[in-house]
Amino acid sequence: LGTLTAGQKRTVQLTLKPTRKGTVTAAASAESADGLRADGRATLGVGAAGLRLTAEAPGTVGVGDRVSLRVGVTNTGTAAAENVTAWVAAPGLSADGPKEVTVGTVPPGETKRVDVPLTASAAGTFAVKVSATADGGVAEAVGTTVAV
């Protein structure tokens, strides 16, 4: 930090990335060349995001019908789920829009819903798989079926 004159101070900013949730205490100390010492501590709680997905679609549709798949992303954790993206895999149903959907940030305890437009392109019963990820390696998947 160099030399400090009487009454002068220097601030050191640290950016830390916790590796686990819970209570974390950071301790710091500074000592002068002539043995003067100062100590400090900061304690904070570290939360983690969690995802729960829902996928809702009409049970039965006709060939050529438009289908709106409603995807719900709930954050079951204690910290914001950031950069949430959902993917839809729907064989037999063609996407009118993107099969990758940006959900964004989902605050703790809240749910965001997005509609994914699809078109029934063939007859049969089709499994639809929805998966989502968020920063920090958080991931979840769910499935539903649509009869055409």
Side-chain angles (χ1 to χ4, degrees), residues 24-122:
V24 176
T25 301
S29 63
E31 189 171 336
S32 70
D34 57 358
L36 295 175
R37 183 178 172 95
D39 296 301
R41 290 182 178 274
T43 301
L44 60 126
V46 177
L51 296 179
R52 185 179 70 233
L53 296 178
T54 58
E56 301 170 12
T60 305
V61 297
V63 173
D65 286 353
R66 292 179 58 85
V67 177
S68 182
L69 176 69
R70 175 158 275 199
V71 176
V73 180
T74 301
N75 181 353
T76 59
T78 57
E82 296 181 346
N83 296 313
V84 178
T85 302
W87 289 270
V88 176
L93 301 169
S94 61
D96 296 333
K99 287 190 179 184
E100 178 178 312
V101 181
T102 299
V103 179
T105 298
V106 183
E110 293 190 19
T111 300
K112 282 195 175 180
R113 290 177 179 81
V114 293
D115 291 319
V116 180
L118 303 168
T119 300
S121 55

Side-chain angles (χ1 to χ4, degrees), residues 3-10:
T3 302
L4 299 176
T5 60
Q8 190 179 20
K9 70 177 184 177
R10 292 245 169 82

